[in-house]
Structure formats: structure tokens, C-alpha cells
Amino acid sequence: MSIMTTGASRVGYETKGYFRTPDAVFFTFLFPVVMLAIFATAFSSMGDITPGPGQEGVSFAAYYLPGLLAAGLLLSGVQNLAVDIAGEKGDGTLKRLGGTPLSPIAFFIGKMGQVFVTAVMQAALLLAVAAIFFGVALPTEPSKWVTFAWVFVLGIATSALLGVALSSVPRSAKSATAVVIPIVLVLQFISGVYLQFYQLPEWMQNIASVFPLKWMAQGMRAVFLPEDFEVLEQTGTWDLGGVAIALLIWLVVGLVISRVTFRWIRRDA
Amino acid sequence: MNETDAAMSGRDEAPALYVRGLTKHYGSVAAVDDITFEIARGETFALLGPNGAGKSSTIEILEGYRRRTGGEASVLGVDPAHGKLDWKARLGIVLQSTGEQGAFTVREQLAHFAGFYPNPRDVDEVIAAVGLEHKAKTRIAKLSGGQRRRVDVALGIIGRPELLFLDEPTTGFDPQARRDFWTLIRNLKREGTTILLTTHYLDEAAQLSDRAGVIAGGKLVDIGAIDEIGGAEARVPIVRWHEADGTPREERTHTPGTLVAAIVERIGREPAGLEIVRPSLEDIYLELVGEAAELSHEEQAEEVAAS
């Protein structure tokens, strides 16, 4: 059985397993959609968000959409895989797989593929809900969708690898959510998912700039917000070059840590 | 004889598995202390011993999960510390604890695992062999403990292994399920599968295995055919009785009838508390393990006295 064939079979298996795990589906798949619905409904009477006084603005739903798309990348990758793999390490699933001729590469193709498939479905769902229920106008220029495509692919790959890397931290399956959720939650608050990034104090923006979520959100804003909103960014530009570089650095970091720390079982001395 | 046959017969002569002077230290504690044994191809070998005796450490070294501290090990001709995927494809491993992806049905799980192996068994045949036909479409999370254990066994044999590791496979089985499991293992044995079994149930070891090794305190205290373990001396019948003054006595003898007759004649009546016991495998095993425990206590006492 070739690695690619087994890898493909793992993608199907992992995706099926994901959708049969209610916790994972709610907290990593549906969560951004639920948050979009809450924000869009709760703030619907507060008027539009504008880039400056007297300028034309966008609805709360339209403003929050890019941030929640970025949050979806983080949840589908980091939170999903970190909790999932730590759990599989804890319940002996990985130990069992380690005793079979399954290649670790095929195993990771399965994990990455599951993350990619579910993240695509999640983004499609977010866009559909935003457009259909909250009247958000989606971009029509092909160039915007090209940007969306690379930010999405780079973002989800980075996020998935960081999830694998983070899965080595919890000492047990039970502590996995306790380790992972606070990190993911704090990042979402300081990176412009729930709070408007331009309103955060500069020191907090600088801290957020160290981590990848801020860059995913910025890349998504470049796609979905009107050009006028560019002035609200830290440098006054979308800085897509910065987005690419920051995500690539974190991609390499995630890859190296995953490669070094992954074990089928906790190896004794 | 062509080359393939020559290679095959050559392989058949080599043991399926051997360890020489196998040692495993955790810090300063020797969990496995200089163990040597081998298992022939097609043989079923039982490793017996109390919890913490070093059975699991030994078996996990042979499965490739743990690194040994010292000694030699060969499993299907490969050093288990450096076994690659093609080596794993020839093994079947039933671990002691079951970690199950409960979200999948029995059939889905087996079909998926079958895909890892070059020449797997038929999924439905394996499901039938472990007696889970009526549960094939049930999610594993909804099965009882004993049924899940049967899924573990099914996953261990789905790849048509040459060598099967069974670490306490029947824990949680009811008596009927255990009997069914024995039939399954005998069938695998008939097909030529080499089996290394650990178990707490001595009747199981007696039923299934050709030979057994007894591990206690990390040491192999005895090894031999299942009906020879402990030596001939350990199988000599024991006569127990009470003397006329009520003192309990016991004596090992090959002629228990003669001894009893002599006792009756000597005390002039039916002796109280009379019994004649032929030691069961369990008695012999407990004696072996007990001796080893006493020995290690003595060693510890000596060490304490010396320090």
C-alpha cells in the first residue's frame, strides 16, 4: 500500500471521525459561525463601522467576517489537532497505530487533509451565512480571491503544523483542553478577532504581531474590507508581504517542532 | 529445491524470536534483569508472572515500543529497536490496554486497518472469527469491555501476522468468550502463526501454549514445556494429615497410597484432615513466584545488613 493511497484513506477516516465527535464539531467547526451570528445580531442596531468620520462604512457582520475566517483557521488547525492528537496519545490510539505498518507520513497526510477539508467547509459555511443571512457583500474581483486562496492555504497549513507541535505539550489527554484553549482564546482577543484590532493599545498590537493569528486576520481583512479600511492597519497598509513572511516563519517553526517532538508513544529513558 | 524454498526452510530453522541477556533499567531499577529465551517458528509461548514482574517491559521491547538497556534481541530476524514498517507488517500486536477510536464501527475500523497491510485477512472473516458478526455495524464506543477486547484481537490479526503478541488478551472475557478465543488462537496456531502470550490465567497458558516462561522480579525463574514447568519434583503429590495429637503434617511422595496406609497403621485410626494433592500448574507457579519473591527479599535484607 503506497503512502499516498494510505494517506488518502486516512483523510477520509479522520474526516469521518471528526464529524462524529460532537465536541470537535462545535468548538472548532461551528464556533466561528455561531460567533458571527451573535456579533452580527447583537450589534446590528449600532450602525456601520467606518474607517474614519463621515466615511462610508461596513456592517458589523462584514467587519467581523475576516476575523472569524482567521479564527476558523486557528480553531480548525491549532485547537482541533492539538486536542485531538493529545487525546490519541492519551487513549492509546497512537500506540496502536505505532505497532502497525502505517507510515507516520501517511498519518500526517491524514491529519493535514482532515484539517484542510473541514477548514474549506467551514470557510464556505461562514461566507454563505454572512452573505445569505447578514447581507455581507463578498468581493467580486478575482485578485481578491487569489489573495484569499493563498492566505487561506498558508494559514491553514501553518495552523495545522502548530497544532501538531502544541499537541506534545499536554501531559495527558485530560489536560489537553486546559493547555490549548487559553492560548487560542487569548490569541483571538489580542489579534483582532473579537475586538477591533485598530482600537487595541499599541503594545498589545505588538505582542499580537509576534503570533500568526494577527497576520491571518490582517490577510483576510485585505480580502474582505474596502480599500479605505487600509488606514486602520498598524502600518497604514495591508502589508501582504508581512503576512506571507510571518506565516511562513511560523510554518517552519511548526514543522520543525512537529518533526522533533512527535512520537507514537512517550518514549522512556 | 529452488532458491525460494531454500530461503524458506532456512528461515524456518531460525527461531522466530530470541532474547539473550535482555536487560531494561528504569533509573537504578532493573525491570528486566538478564532474561534469555527463544521461541521457535509456529510455537505458542506463554510468559507468566505477577504484575510488575517485567512481562510488559519485555514484550514492549520485543514489539519495538521500548529500548532495551542491554542484551540481544531478535524478532523475525530483525533487531526490534530498529524495526522498519515492512517488519511491523509481519507482526500483530494486541496491547494490554485498549485505546479505541469509539467513533467508528467494528467493520469500518477493521477495513481501515486492513488497508495498512500488504496481505490482510478478509475483514468479514476476521469479524466472524472473533464472534462479532452481529456487532459489525455498531460503533466501538457502544460495545462492552469484552467485545472491545475482541476488536483489539481482531485488529491484531487483520494483517495476517507471522508473529502475534497477545498481552493479557482475555481480561474481561466471560467463560464462553474465553473458550471461543482459545479456539481462535488454536486456529491461528494451526495456520503456522507464532504466538507470544502473557496471561494471568494459568488454565489459559496450559490450554494454549507449548512452552512457558515464568518471570518474577525481572528474572526468568523457570522455562520449559507447560507440563514440565517447576521440574518433576514440583509435581510430586503432597499428602497432608493431622497427627494423633493434632499437629498438622505434610509430605511429598510418589507413593501417597502407601504413605496413607502407613499413617493409618501407626496412629491406629482414620487421620484427621487427610488430603492428597497433585500440584496444579497454578500451585507450581505460585511456588515459583513465591520463592523468587522470598529470594529478592533476602537479597534486599542482605543489602540492608551490608550497608
Side-chain angles (χ1 to χ4, degrees), chain A residues 145-170:
Chain A
W145 289 106
V146 171
T147 307
F148 174 79
W150 74 253
V151 171
F152 180 89
V153 170
L154 192 54
I156 200 62
T158 302
S159 195
L161 285 168
L162 290 174
V164 177
L166 193 59
S167 74
S168 63
V169 176

Side-chain angles (χ1 to χ4, degrees), chain A residues 1 6 9-10 13-14 16-17 20-21 88 91-93 95-104 264-269, chain B residues 24 26 60 64-67 85 88-89 91 93 95 98-101 103-105 108-109 112-113 115-117 139 152 155:
Chain A
M1 201 54 76
T6 319
S9 127
R10 289 295 298 174
Y13 177 88
E14 296 274 11
K16 200 185 274 182
R20 286 181 187 177
T21 314
E88 289 188 332
D91 71 13
T93 302
K95 187 174 186 180
R96 187 201 292 280
L97 289 174
T100 73
L102 174 68
S103 148
W264 291 122
I265 63 166
R266 292 197 182 288
R267 182 78 67 184
D268 52 48
Chain B
K24 175 69 188 176
Y26 295 103
E60 291 205 343
Y65 284 116
R66 295 185 187 283
R67 299 271 181 265
L85 297 180
K88 289 185 187 175
L91 303 179
I93 297 178
L95 294 165
T98 134
E100 208 45 72
Q101 281 295 342
F104 296 94
T105 69
E108 284 171 338
Q109 185 78 339
H112 181 65
F113 273 67
F116 301 162
Y117 294 89
R139 289 201 193 171
D152 291 338
L155 290 170

Side-chain angles (χ1 to χ4, degrees), chain B residues 169-234:
Chain B
T170 59
T171 307
F173 278 28
D174 60 44
Q176 184 57 49
R178 177 164 295 136
R179 291 254 172 324
D180 294 345
F181 173 78
W182 291 352
T183 309
L184 168 67
I185 297 305
R186 287 193 191 104
N187 288 338
L188 292 172
K189 188 177 158 62
R190 202 167 299 136
E191 289 171 29
T193 314
T194 309
I195 298 169
L196 173 52
L197 166 80
T198 77
T199 180
H200 282 304
Y201 302 106
L202 293 151
D203 57 334
E204 185 160 289
Q207 286 285 337
L208 297 178
S209 57
D210 304 307
R211 286 190 311 136
V214 179
I215 294 188
K219 290 192 164 71
L220 192 67
V221 295
D222 199 11
I223 184 166
I226 201 79
D227 52 1
E228 286 168 8
I229 275 270
E233 188 60 29

Side-chain angles (χ1 to χ4, degrees), chain A residues 122-134:
Chain A
Q122 180 182 51
L125 184 63
L126 264 171
L127 292 173
V129 168
I132 296 166
F133 294 101
F134 301 105

Side-chain angles (χ1 to χ4, degrees), chain B residues 59-83:
Chain B
I59 204 166
E60 291 205 343
I61 288 168
L62 296 171
E63 289 163 345
Y65 284 116
R66 295 185 187 283
R67 299 271 181 265
R68 59 187 184 273
T69 313
E72 276 179 70
S74 166
V75 175
L76 299 177
V78 173
D79 181 339
H82 303 111

